[in-house]
Amino acid sequence: MAASRLTTPLAGLAVAALLAVGPVPGAQAAPPADGDCAKQQTQVDRAAAKLERLQDVFTRAKREVRKTKKAAAQAETEEEQAEVEEDLDEAKQDRTKAKKAKKAQVQRLAKAEQRLAKCQGATEPTEPTEPTEPTEP
């Protein structure tokens, strides 16, 4: 009960302080600085590098599934067969996880590239159009 009596006036003071300061001039209409685009470029580079690593993981997981399938075909006893089947199930799960991670990273990379393109489009000056000449009466 006492906490609500204290927080309500404090919240009112915080709102009043924000209203007294007012909005920062030009904060809404300012184009992004070059540093922002550099940050976006860094994110694109990092996302691309991670996608490359995930591609390697996915390739290894696929290779492991193929290798385990061959081992399952060569198993002679039921015990060996059961053990290889467990290994095959695990390898397939690893492959599925790697595939999902790769797909998600592709989407992250696409979003990062969109943000970079938007940033670069906002910072590039647009060419002014030529004014139309007034017609003489």
Side-chain angles (χ1 to χ4, degrees), residues 56-129:
D56 292 341
V57 170
F58 180 65
T59 303
R60 282 194 304 270
K62 283 176 35 178
R63 193 176 309 132
E64 185 66 28
V65 168
R66 284 193 303 258
K67 178 181 161 187
T68 308
K69 282 183 178 180
K70 287 180 184 178
Q74 295 174 354
E76 295 177 3
T77 65
E78 288 183 21
E79 291 176 358
E80 288 178 353
Q81 184 69 25
E83 187 175 318
V84 172
E85 287 294 326
E86 288 178 19
D87 292 343
L88 181 60
D89 288 341
E90 186 177 322
K92 285 181 178 181
Q93 288 176 356
D94 290 344
R95 180 187 62 188
T96 302
K97 287 180 184 178
K99 185 176 182 179
K100 286 181 180 181
K102 185 180 100 171
K103 182 178 178 181
Q105 190 61 30
V106 166
Q107 291 175 348
R108 286 185 203 106
L109 178 60
K111 289 286 187 179
E113 288 173 342
Q114 286 176 352
R115 287 190 300 266
L116 177 62
K118 183 178 179 182
C119 179
Q120 289 174 341
T123 58
E124 292 178 5
T126 57
E127 294 182 20
T129 58

